[in-house]
C-alpha cells in the first residue's frame, strides 16, 4: 500500500470531480450529473455473493469476494490501462466435501483471470489453439485450522502477485479490519435522501470507468474493454470466448487428480 489508490473501500455515489466529464449511463437529470461513483477508503469493505459451478458430476458452491479501489491512476497521457475505480473479485470453489477445491481471481474489468487449483485438481491438456486457455501460475497452498488465505497485491497496478496461507493472528494491532456486505447492495446505492441508483448501467458496466485500451481492443468483441463491470458481465478472454460465471468453466479446464 503506497497511496490511497491502493486502499479498498465502500462504493458509493459522491460529488463529481471537476477534472472528469460527467459519466454516461443512467444519468436522468442535471442533479445526477453532479454525482459519480467513488470509493470511501475510510470504510474498508468486501462485497460477497454466492455462485455455483459444475465439476465431477457435482454442483459446487463458490464464495465470491469483491473489493474496490478508488482508481488505477494514469502514469502518463499514453497510459491505456489507468482510470477511475479499479477492483478485484476473488473466488473460492468448495468441493463436494466442503474443502477448498480451487480459487481464481479476476479484475473487475474481466482481465487478468488467474486460477489457483488445489492439489486435488490439475489443468487438463491444453488444446493447440490460438484461443486463450486457463492460466494457473501457482498451486493453492494447503489450509489448516487457524489459517487463512492471503493475497499479496501490487501497488498501483493491483496485480495479484501471490496467494499463500498465514495465521489468523497475523497483523496484530496494525491490521486493518474490513466489513463484509452483500454484493446486491451495489444495485441500490443511496443517491440522495430519498433516491438510490445502481452502480451498474443497463449494460452491466460501471459508468465513468472507461479505459483508453477500448480503442485498441474493440475488434475483439468485448464492449468497452477495460471498464469496470458487475457480476455476470465479465468476459475473461480477448481471443476466443470465456466468461467468469460460466458454470462449466472448471469442468472444461480442469480434472480431478486420481
Amino acid at each position: 500500500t503506497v497511496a490511497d489508490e491502493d486502499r479498498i473501500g465502500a462504493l458509493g455515489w459522491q460529488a463529481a470531480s471537476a477534472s472528469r466529464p460527467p459519466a454516461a449511463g443512467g444519468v436522468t437529470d442535471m442533479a445526477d450529473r453532479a454525482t459519480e461513483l467513488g470509493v470511501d477508503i475510510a470504510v474498508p469493505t468486501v462485497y460477497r455473493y454466492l455462485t455455483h459451478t459444475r465439476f465431477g458430476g457435482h454442483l459446487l458452491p463458490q464464495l465470491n469476494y469483491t473489493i474496490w479501489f478508488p482508481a488505477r491512476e494514469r502514469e502518463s497521457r499514453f497510459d491505456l490501462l489507468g482510470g477511475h475505480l479499479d477492483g478485484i473479485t476473488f473466488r473460492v470453489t468448495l468441493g463436494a466435501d466442503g474443502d477448498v477445491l480451487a480459487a481464481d481471481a479476476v479484475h473487475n474489468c474481466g482481465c487478468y483471470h488467474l486460477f489457483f487449483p488445489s492439489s486435488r485438481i490439475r489443468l487438463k491438456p491444453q488444446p493447440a489453439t490460438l484461443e486463450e486457455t486457463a492460466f494457473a501460475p501457482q498451486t493453492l497452498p494447503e489450509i489448516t485450522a487457524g489459517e487463512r488465505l492471503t493475497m499479496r497485491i501490487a501497488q498501483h497496478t493491483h496485480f495479484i502477485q501471490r496467494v499463500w496461507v498465514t495465521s489468523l493472528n497475523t497483523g496484530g494491532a496494525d491490521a486493518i479490519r474490513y466489513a463484509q456486505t452483500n454484493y446486491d447492495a451495489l444495485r441500490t446505492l443511496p443517491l440522495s435522501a430519498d433516491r438510490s441508483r445502481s452502480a451498474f448501467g443497463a449494460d452491466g458496466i460501471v459508468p465513468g470507468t472507461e479505459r483508453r485500451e477500448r480503442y485498441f481492443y474493440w475488434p475483439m468483441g468485448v464492449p468497452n474493454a477495460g471498464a469496470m463491470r458487475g457480476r455476470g458481465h465479465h468476459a475473461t478472454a480477448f481471443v476466443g470466448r470465456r466468461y467468469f460465471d460460466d458454470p462449466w468453466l472448471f469442468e472444461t479446464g480442469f480434472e480431478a487428480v486420481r
Side-chain angles (χ1 to χ4, degrees), residues 8 10 13 27 32 34 38 84 93 105 112 157 172 175 178 180 196 198 227:
I8 69 171
W13 293 102
V27 175
D32 286 0
H84 185 53
T93 300
Y112 318 117
T157 63
Y178 58 77
Q180 294 191 52
S196 65
S198 174

Side-chain angles (χ1 to χ4, degrees), residues 9 26 35 50 60-61 79 83 101 117 144 187 196 209 212 230 242 245:
T35 62
L50 179 68
L60 304 179
D79 187 342
L101 187 69
T144 60
R187 304 180 190 279
S196 65
T209 62
R212 293 173 180 173
R242 192 177 70 211
D245 62 336

Side-chain angles (χ1 to χ4, degrees), residues 10-32:
L11 201 61
W13 293 102
Q14 57 186 223
S17 169
S19 62
R20 279 191 294 273
V27 175
T28 56
D29 56 37
M30 291 305 296
D32 286 0

Side-chain angles (χ1 to χ4, degrees), residues 19-184:
S19 62
R20 279 191 294 273
V27 175
T28 56
D29 56 37
M30 291 305 296
D32 286 0
R33 290 180 180 273
T35 62
E36 67 178 7
L37 281 170
V39 172
D40 184 357
I41 60 175
V43 188
T45 303
V46 172
Y47 298 88
R48 64 178 189 264
Y49 62 96
L50 179 68
T51 54
H52 295 84
T53 191
R54 298 282 307 184
F55 188 79
H58 297 283
L59 184 64
L60 304 179
Q62 297 177 299
L63 312 177
N64 296 259
Y65 304 91
T66 297
I67 57 176
W68 295 95
F69 300 99
R72 174 176 172 169
E73 298 292 352
R74 291 194 181 101
E75 296 184 292
S76 72
R77 62 178 179 172
F78 302 107
D79 187 342
L80 303 180
L81 305 179
H84 185 53
L85 301 188
D86 198 10
I88 297 171
T89 295
F90 187 80
R91 178 170 66 185
V92 178
T93 300
L94 304 180
D97 57 1
D99 285 341
V100 175
L101 187 69
D104 63 327
V106 70
H107 276 58
N108 292 344
C109 56
C111 302
Y112 318 117
H113 192 186
L114 305 178
F115 293 87
F116 307 99
S118 71
S119 59
R120 303 164 63 190
I121 65 173
R122 64 190 174 199
L123 279 170
K124 289 181 178 179
Q126 302 295 292
T129 175
L130 292 177
E131 293 189 5
E132 295 179 48
T133 52
F135 177 49
Q138 73 164 91
T139 300
L140 201 65
E142 298 294 331
I143 309 168
T144 60
E147 295 180 329
R148 61 182 170 193
L149 281 178
T150 301
M151 280 194 301
R152 179 180 175 86
I153 303 173
Q155 61 92 10
H156 177 63
T157 63
H158 306 140
F159 292 151
I160 297 175
Q161 297 178 325
R162 197 75 171 162
V163 176
W164 76 100
V165 170
T166 57
S167 167
L168 287 174
N169 297 320
T170 301
D174 294 332
I176 298 175
R177 302 282 180 178
Y178 58 77
Q180 294 191 52
T181 192
N182 193 308
Y183 187 96
D184 285 341

Side-chain angles (χ1 to χ4, degrees), residues 179-258:
Q180 294 191 52
T181 192
N182 193 308
Y183 187 96
D184 285 341
L186 298 177
R187 304 180 190 279
T188 53
L189 293 175
L191 186 62
S192 63
D194 58 352
R195 299 174 60 197
S196 65
R197 191 167 79 209
S198 174
F200 314 109
D203 55 3
I205 294 176
V206 179
T209 62
E210 296 81 8
R211 281 4 184 208
R212 293 173 180 173
E213 63 182 284
R214 69 189 187 276
Y215 297 120
F216 293 88
Y217 287 111
W218 67 266
M220 303 298 184
V222 178
N224 207 343
M228 300 297 107
R229 289 161 156 72
R231 58 176 291 193
H233 294 272
H234 293 110
T236 61
F238 282 120
V239 181
R241 290 176 179 266
R242 192 177 70 211
Y243 299 91
F244 190 63
D245 62 336
D246 180 357
W248 300 100
L249 184 65
F250 282 86
E251 190 94 287
T252 302
F254 295 87
E255 62 187 5
V257 174
R258 304 299 179 184

